[in-house]
Amino acid sequence: MPDISHLLEKSRAGEVLGEAELALLLALPPDSAGSYAVMAEARRVTDELAGGRAEVHGQFALNLAPCPKQCRFCSFAAVNKVFTTSSELSPEEAVKSAQRLESDGVNAVYVMTTAQYDFGRFVETGAEIRRNLLPDTKLVANVGDRTPAEARRLAGAGFDAVYHALRLREGVDTAIAPETRKQSIAAFQEAGLPVGTCVEPVGPEHTNEELAAMIAFTASI
């Protein structure tokens, strides 16, 4: 088993691990001492960043519909034929959904739609939700790719942040070009909207090298 002590020391020093180093850690057997050491270090970093406190996030959808972006890992993809009809929440129903999450204890309400949902309607409904939430509750948009002007409209409507990700095998398992996702992330950030993201969707089909490359990209956002 490789000696990873130098990589843990590098992490503790606040240095960024390279893709080859990340792939080495990902290759550790799950039940090995090395994996447990990595998990312990991850817990230390998390506690340090979050002060030992957790956030509770909740999400609901403004619509349910088959989506034309054909992300093969997504139940909304039209090609997967899980959703064959469309339905939408009214602004009043959306407000009630957000308030229920808030009353259940979440401190960040995520509002999502499929990619083809009307953006103007999303902005208007988002503004109505914002007016009916507590000031300290964060409102987060989980929407499709947007232009810089549209990103500014989200900020103007009262959204505090955006969830957006460059997914694994984007453009292969999806009908979205990777560069489009990157441009949207940049547009949100330029509009002053922090971007929440993650490495997704992780499956047995993905290599350690693919995962390492995506971890490195995600860490750069």
Side-chain angles (χ1 to χ4, degrees), residues 181-202:
R181 304 296 283 185
K182 294 177 181 179
Q183 290 171 354
S184 291
I185 289 171
F188 295 136
Q189 292 174 323
E190 289 168 6
L193 293 166
V195 176
T197 191
C198 72
V199 176
E200 61 153 293
V202 177

mmCIF file of all heavy atoms in Angstrom, residues 181-202:
data_model
loop_
_atom_site.group_PDB
_atom_site.id
_atom_site.type_symbol
_atom_site.label_atom_id
_atom_site.label_comp_id
_atom_site.label_asym_id
_atom_site.label_seq_id
_atom_site.Cartn_x
_atom_site.Cartn_y
_atom_site.Cartn_z
ATOM 1 N N ARG A 181 -21.544 24.741 -19.520
ATOM 2 C CA ARG A 181 -21.656 24.687 -18.059
ATOM 3 C C ARG A 181 -20.638 25.630 -17.419
ATOM 4 O O ARG A 181 -20.944 26.356 -16.467
ATOM 5 C CB ARG A 181 -21.433 23.257 -17.563
ATOM 6 C CG ARG A 181 -22.339 22.213 -18.154
ATOM 7 C CD ARG A 181 -23.798 22.424 -17.800
ATOM 8 N NE ARG A 181 -24.115 22.014 -16.438
ATOM 9 C CZ ARG A 181 -25.350 22.013 -15.937
ATOM 10 N NH1 ARG A 181 -26.370 22.400 -16.678
ATOM 11 N NH2 ARG A 181 -25.571 21.632 -14.706
ATOM 12 N N LYS A 182 -19.422 25.622 -17.917
ATOM 13 C CA LYS A 182 -18.376 26.483 -17.362
ATOM 14 C C LYS A 182 -18.725 27.962 -17.537
ATOM 15 O O LYS A 182 -18.501 28.780 -16.648
ATOM 16 C CB LYS A 182 -17.036 26.167 -18.018
ATOM 17 C CG LYS A 182 -16.497 24.783 -17.697
ATOM 18 C CD LYS A 182 -15.196 24.522 -18.434
ATOM 19 C CE LYS A 182 -14.655 23.129 -18.151
ATOM 20 N NZ LYS A 182 -13.391 22.858 -18.885
ATOM 21 N N GLN A 183 -19.270 28.298 -18.701
ATOM 22 C CA GLN A 183 -19.644 29.692 -18.951
ATOM 23 C C GLN A 183 -20.752 30.136 -18.013
ATOM 24 O O GLN A 183 -20.757 31.275 -17.534
ATOM 25 C CB GLN A 183 -20.074 29.856 -20.408
ATOM 26 C CG GLN A 183 -18.931 29.741 -21.396
ATOM 27 C CD GLN A 183 -19.398 29.695 -22.840
ATOM 28 O OE1 GLN A 183 -20.600 29.640 -23.130
ATOM 29 N NE2 GLN A 183 -18.462 29.705 -23.770
ATOM 30 N N SER A 184 -21.695 29.249 -17.726
ATOM 31 C CA SER A 184 -22.774 29.588 -16.798
ATOM 32 C C SER A 184 -22.239 29.808 -15.388
ATOM 33 O O SER A 184 -22.636 30.753 -14.697
ATOM 34 C CB SER A 184 -23.829 28.482 -16.774
ATOM 35 O OG SER A 184 -24.528 28.426 -17.989
ATOM 36 N N ILE A 185 -21.328 28.941 -14.959
ATOM 37 C CA ILE A 185 -20.732 29.104 -13.632
ATOM 38 C C ILE A 185 -20.039 30.452 -13.523
ATOM 39 O O ILE A 185 -20.189 31.173 -12.525
ATOM 40 C CB ILE A 185 -19.752 27.942 -13.353
ATOM 41 C CG1 ILE A 185 -20.533 26.637 -13.138
ATOM 42 C CG2 ILE A 185 -18.884 28.245 -12.136
ATOM 43 C CD1 ILE A 185 -19.658 25.398 -13.081
ATOM 44 N N ALA A 186 -19.305 30.817 -14.559
ATOM 45 C CA ALA A 186 -18.623 32.110 -14.566
ATOM 46 C C ALA A 186 -19.628 33.261 -14.533
ATOM 47 O O ALA A 186 -19.425 34.262 -13.841
ATOM 48 C CB ALA A 186 -17.726 32.229 -15.795
ATOM 49 N N ALA A 187 -20.738 33.126 -15.276
ATOM 50 C CA ALA A 187 -21.765 34.177 -15.303
ATOM 51 C C ALA A 187 -22.387 34.366 -13.928
ATOM 52 O O ALA A 187 -22.611 35.505 -13.479
ATOM 53 C CB ALA A 187 -22.836 33.826 -16.325
ATOM 54 N N PHE A 188 -22.672 33.273 -13.232
ATOM 55 C CA PHE A 188 -23.252 33.382 -11.895
ATOM 56 C C PHE A 188 -22.281 34.082 -10.943
ATOM 57 O O PHE A 188 -22.678 34.963 -10.171
ATOM 58 C CB PHE A 188 -23.596 31.989 -11.353
ATOM 59 C CG PHE A 188 -24.669 31.273 -12.124
ATOM 60 C CD1 PHE A 188 -24.524 29.931 -12.455
ATOM 61 C CD2 PHE A 188 -25.824 31.932 -12.520
ATOM 62 C CE1 PHE A 188 -25.504 29.261 -13.160
ATOM 63 C CE2 PHE A 188 -26.817 31.271 -13.230
ATOM 64 C CZ PHE A 188 -26.655 29.932 -13.558
ATOM 65 N N GLN A 189 -21.026 33.698 -11.014
ATOM 66 C CA GLN A 189 -20.045 34.294 -10.121
ATOM 67 C C GLN A 189 -19.860 35.774 -10.407
ATOM 68 O O GLN A 189 -19.755 36.584 -9.476
ATOM 69 C CB GLN A 189 -18.709 33.553 -10.244
ATOM 70 C CG GLN A 189 -18.755 32.129 -9.702
ATOM 71 C CD GLN A 189 -17.476 31.355 -9.949
ATOM 72 O OE1 GLN A 189 -16.838 31.506 -11.005
ATOM 73 N NE2 GLN A 189 -17.089 30.525 -8.999
ATOM 74 N N GLU A 190 -19.858 36.146 -11.682
ATOM 75 C CA GLU A 190 -19.715 37.550 -12.051
ATOM 76 C C GLU A 190 -20.906 38.375 -11.582
ATOM 77 O O GLU A 190 -20.784 39.578 -11.328
ATOM 78 C CB GLU A 190 -19.545 37.671 -13.566
ATOM 79 C CG GLU A 190 -18.203 37.162 -14.072
ATOM 80 C CD GLU A 190 -18.160 37.027 -15.583
ATOM 81 O OE1 GLU A 190 -19.156 37.435 -16.248
ATOM 82 O OE2 GLU A 190 -17.158 36.498 -16.102
ATOM 83 N N ALA A 191 -22.076 37.730 -11.446
ATOM 84 C CA ALA A 191 -23.274 38.422 -10.970
ATOM 85 C C ALA A 191 -23.309 38.505 -9.443
ATOM 86 O O ALA A 191 -24.266 39.031 -8.871
ATOM 87 C CB ALA A 191 -24.521 37.713 -11.476
ATOM 88 N N GLY A 192 -22.268 37.988 -8.788
ATOM 89 C CA GLY A 192 -22.208 38.034 -7.336
ATOM 90 C C GLY A 192 -22.927 36.903 -6.647
ATOM 91 O O GLY A 192 -23.199 36.984 -5.437
ATOM 92 N N LEU A 193 -23.242 35.841 -7.394
ATOM 93 C CA LEU A 193 -23.945 34.691 -6.828
ATOM 94 C C LEU A 193 -22.950 33.568 -6.544
ATOM 95 O O LEU A 193 -22.377 33.001 -7.479
ATOM 96 C CB LEU A 193 -25.013 34.189 -7.803
ATOM 97 C CG LEU A 193 -26.193 35.132 -8.058
ATOM 98 C CD1 LEU A 193 -26.978 34.671 -9.276
ATOM 99 C CD2 LEU A 193 -27.095 35.193 -6.830
ATOM 100 N N PRO A 194 -22.717 33.229 -5.286
ATOM 101 C CA PRO A 194 -21.861 32.080 -4.990
ATOM 102 C C PRO A 194 -22.418 30.829 -5.657
ATOM 103 O O PRO A 194 -23.638 30.633 -5.720
ATOM 104 C CB PRO A 194 -21.928 31.972 -3.458
ATOM 105 C CG PRO A 194 -22.308 33.344 -2.997
ATOM 106 C CD PRO A 194 -23.221 33.884 -4.067
ATOM 107 N N VAL A 195 -21.534 29.979 -6.165
ATOM 108 C CA VAL A 195 -21.950 28.769 -6.856
ATOM 109 C C VAL A 195 -21.645 27.549 -5.992
ATOM 110 O O VAL A 195 -20.481 27.266 -5.685
ATOM 111 C CB VAL A 195 -21.238 28.629 -8.220
ATOM 112 C CG1 VAL A 195 -21.614 27.307 -8.897
ATOM 113 C CG2 VAL A 195 -21.616 29.805 -9.119
ATOM 114 N N GLY A 196 -22.704 26.847 -5.590
ATOM 115 C CA GLY A 196 -22.538 25.565 -4.923
ATOM 116 C C GLY A 196 -22.433 24.477 -5.970
ATOM 117 O O GLY A 196 -23.124 24.531 -6.997
ATOM 118 N N THR A 197 -21.562 23.523 -5.749
ATOM 119 C CA THR A 197 -21.361 22.491 -6.751
ATOM 120 C C THR A 197 -20.856 21.213 -6.087
ATOM 121 O O THR A 197 -20.625 21.189 -4.880
ATOM 122 C CB THR A 197 -20.366 22.965 -7.834
ATOM 123 O OG1 THR A 197 -20.371 22.065 -8.929
ATOM 124 C CG2 THR A 197 -18.963 23.113 -7.269
ATOM 125 N N CYS A 198 -20.694 20.166 -6.853
ATOM 126 C CA CYS A 198 -20.120 18.927 -6.327
ATOM 127 C C CYS A 198 -19.673 18.068 -7.501
ATOM 128 O O CYS A 198 -19.848 18.451 -8.662
ATOM 129 C CB CYS A 198 -21.121 18.181 -5.445
ATOM 130 S SG CYS A 198 -22.483 17.420 -6.334
ATOM 131 N N VAL A 199 -19.085 16.924 -7.186
ATOM 132 C CA VAL A 199 -18.701 15.961 -8.214
ATOM 133 C C VAL A 199 -19.864 15.002 -8.373
ATOM 134 O O VAL A 199 -20.204 14.259 -7.455
ATOM 135 C CB VAL A 199 -17.424 15.199 -7.804
ATOM 136 C CG1 VAL A 199 -17.083 14.130 -8.842
ATOM 137 C CG2 VAL A 199 -16.262 16.174 -7.630
ATOM 138 N N GLU A 200 -20.489 15.027 -9.544
ATOM 139 C CA GLU A 200 -21.693 14.223 -9.747
ATOM 140 C C GLU A 200 -21.885 13.896 -11.218
ATOM 141 O O GLU A 200 -21.384 14.619 -12.078
ATOM 142 C CB GLU A 200 -22.918 14.972 -9.220
ATOM 143 C CG GLU A 200 -23.156 16.308 -9.934
ATOM 144 C CD GLU A 200 -24.587 16.756 -9.948
ATOM 145 O OE1 GLU A 200 -25.416 16.093 -10.611
ATOM 146 O OE2 GLU A 200 -24.876 17.770 -9.300
ATOM 147 N N PRO A 201 -22.627 12.813 -11.514
ATOM 148 C CA PRO A 201 -23.057 11.720 -10.645
ATOM 149 C C PRO A 201 -21.965 10.659 -10.620
ATOM 150 O O PRO A 201 -21.419 10.305 -11.665
ATOM 151 C CB PRO A 201 -24.312 11.203 -11.344
ATOM 152 C CG PRO A 201 -23.999 11.406 -12.808
ATOM 153 C CD PRO A 201 -23.110 12.632 -12.904
ATOM 154 N N VAL A 202 -21.613 10.170 -9.468
ATOM 155 C CA VAL A 202 -20.514 9.211 -9.344
ATOM 156 C C VAL A 202 -21.059 7.789 -9.473
ATOM 157 O O VAL A 202 -21.997 7.409 -8.763
ATOM 158 C CB VAL A 202 -19.800 9.380 -7.995
ATOM 159 C CG1 VAL A 202 -18.707 8.327 -7.846
ATOM 160 C CG2 VAL A 202 -19.213 10.784 -7.882
#
